Amino acid sequence: MLSVNAYAAPSANDPLVATTVERRDLGPRDVLIEIRYAGICHSDIHTVRGDWGRQSYPLVPGHEIVGTVAETGAEVASHAVGDRVGVGCMVNSCRDCDTCRRGLEQYCLRGNTMTYGGIDADGTVTQGGYSTHIVVDEDFVLKVPESIPYEAAAPLLCAGITMYSPLRRWGAGPGKRVAVVGLGGLGHMAVKIAHAMGAEVTVLSQSLKKREDGLRLGADHYYATSDPKTFSELGFSFDLIVNTVSAGIDPNAYLGLLKVDGTMVAVGAPAEPMPVAAFSLLQWRRNFAGSTIGGIAETQEMLDFCAEHGIASEVEVIAADRVNEAYERVLASDVRYRFVIDAETLR
Ligand code: NAP
Ligand code: ZN
Ligand code: ZN
């Protein structure tokens, strides 16, 4: 066992504090990663604060992890010491169910092992990336392309793939009009990726405060949802709407912005339900869907796509002892556009 420095939530209500966690001895197929950076996802906050149900504490969040391979188990074939690697939201799955066999480990029918707060094969609770090191099965370790700086790559492991997967699945590309609701960590990656895919991109944000940023990131249009005119003006405009908002919104107002046969995809994951009126869907054959992260092969495809198109996350790098302040800023929608912890500050 390796005892390593980390930042953990002691409970649902207390600030995160410096601590240590145990990393298991390397199994034959395990990779020991020296973490360089870990992104702060809004899901970390939902999880530690108990929005999605009870957790066991102390809990080390962090599922946007990049670093360098420090050591490999005897049978590891796909990664070598010194490689630039990443780990996202999952560290294992059954590999045998229908969905795992289709490369959709994120929908493993037996339940995949999440990077933190999951139950590992040995029965222990997994601990995430706000830490100096992590041990992960080689099949759940991604290759981070050389051209993407480590800190800008970290958020791709969750925010990047969470947007890439639905944009691909629902056909974002030339001739398609895509709206991104919420310009935060996920939203800013959605804008960049949808733009790189060739779609016409519109941001629907609470205000026009981040308009210049949105246009610089690749949006063609930018509207404030606080202005009721937005909803009348944009009726029947979009082929696809991706909702990244971390709080409950009225989905019916947004469904009215879809063309006939258009699709609205929920990726934001507020605790509260979002009731959809049947008429919002049936009247114009509109679709309401959901999507969660992406499979391992698709995550590698996304990393390679981002490298090819020269895109990555816009980040604000912080020391680990600023994590609680960063959480407050994320909750206040005051993030441009992802906080990333420098793991050096934990050593
Ligand atoms: P984030 O950086 O906080 O961005 C969320 C954005 O939503 C904010 O920047 C803000 O954008 C908008 N927003 C926040 N509160 C709002 C409100 N009350 N009304 C309207 N808009 C509001 O969070 P994130 O890390 O991108 O994550 C977003 C959500 O996705 C979270 O619920 C997270 O748990 C979830 N998530 C899901 C997956 C998945 O696999 N499905 C993966 C990762 C995260 P504006 O300022 O532009 O309005
Ligand atoms: Zn996440
Ligand atoms: Zn499975």
Side-chain angles (χ1 to χ4, degrees):
M1 293 266 239
L2 184 64
S3 180
V4 301
N5 292 347
Y7 245 74
S11 77
N13 311 310
D14 293 306
L16 279 71
V17 290
T19 184
T20 57
V21 283
E22 303 292 317
R23 298 303 188 190
R24 66 172 178 262
D25 290 332
L26 248 60
R29 295 173 54 81
D30 281 338
V31 175
L32 172 68
I33 300 168
E34 184 180 317
I35 298 173
R36 296 287 300 275
Y37 295 94
I40 295 179
C41 177
H42 205 120
S43 300
D44 301 348
I45 305 174
H46 286 307
T47 305
V48 302
R49 303 223 165 155
D51 291 355
W52 295 342
R54 289 166 67 93
Q55 300 296 320
S56 81
Y57 298 94
L59 181 63
V60 178
H63 59 207
E64 294 184 334
I65 303 167
V66 290
T68 315
V69 175
E71 200 180 329
T72 55
E75 292 169 19
V76 169
S78 44
H79 306 285
V81 172
D83 283 1
R84 293 161 54 91
V85 292
V87 177
C89 302
M90 301 176 283
V91 289
N92 219 333
S93 74
C94 88
R95 303 156 193 242
D96 189 42
C97 70
D98 274 1
T99 47
C100 279
R101 284 178 183 276
R102 289 165 59 204
L104 300 168
E105 299 87 356
Q106 73 274 37
Y107 306 117
C108 174
L109 298 175
R110 297 194 178 94
N112 51 39
T113 309
M114 301 310 279
T115 302
Y116 59 81
I119 304 298
D120 220 337
D122 61 5
T124 60
V125 176
T126 55
Q127 301 290 354
Y130 298 3
S131 171
T132 57
H133 295 79
I134 192 167
V135 174
V136 179
D137 183 289
E138 66 167 329
D139 292 343
F140 285 76
V141 175
L142 287 304
K143 295 185 183 303
V144 175
E146 287 288 336
S147 63
I148 310 178
Y150 272 122
E151 64 273 29
L156 301 180
L157 275 304
C158 173
I161 184 59
T162 298
M163 300 322 307
Y164 181 87
S165 186
L167 289 167
R168 266 276 176 267
R169 175 166 177 81
W170 281 281
K176 291 290 168 69
R177 298 181 74 186
V178 175
V180 176
V181 190
L183 192 67
L186 264 54
H188 93 291
M189 286 314 308
V191 170
K192 287 188 173 205
I193 294 171
H195 175 71
M197 287 173 173
E200 183 180 333
V201 183
T202 299
V203 173
L204 301 174
S205 180
Q206 293 168 92
S207 73
L208 295 179
K209 272 194 298 209
K210 294 179 275 191
R211 183 172 178 277
E212 272 178 33
D213 285 354
L215 299 179
R216 175 176 54 80
L217 296 170
D220 301 283
H221 317 281
Y222 203 105
Y223 290 86
T225 54
S226 53
D227 182 351
K229 283 207 299 292
T230 293
F231 290 90
S232 49
E233 202 176 306
L234 294 178
F236 296 92
S237 289
F238 302 110
D239 299 284
L240 176 63
I241 299 175
V242 286
N243 171 24
T244 77
V245 175
S246 48
I249 56 169
D250 173 15
N252 303 294
Y254 292 84
L255 286 163
L257 308 186
L258 289 172
K259 295 178 184 175
V260 172
D261 282 337
T263 300
M264 174 161 168
V265 183
V267 294
E272 56 271 28
M274 280 191 280
V276 173
F279 272 89
S280 301
L281 300 175
L282 63 85
Q283 203 170 12
W284 308 100
R285 205 165 63 179
R286 288 161 167 150
N287 306 287
F288 189 63
S291 182
T292 211
I293 52 173
I296 292 298
E298 194 180 34
T299 304
Q300 190 62 57
E301 179 185 306
M302 174 276 306
L303 287 166
D304 297 340
F305 175 92
C306 288
E308 189 187 324
H309 291 271
I311 55 181
S313 180
E314 310 262 311
V315 299
E316 183 172 336
V317 175
I318 58 163
D321 62 6
R322 285 186 54 212
V323 63
N324 295 300
E325 188 191 318
Y327 274 23
E328 293 311 317
R329 282 184 53 196
V330 171
L331 288 167
S333 299
D334 177 24
V335 50
R336 300 201 180 188
Y337 281 84
R338 201 57 142 183
F339 288 108
V340 171
I341 298 169
D342 181 352
E344 207 54 54
T345 61
L346 282 163
R347 291 186 215 287

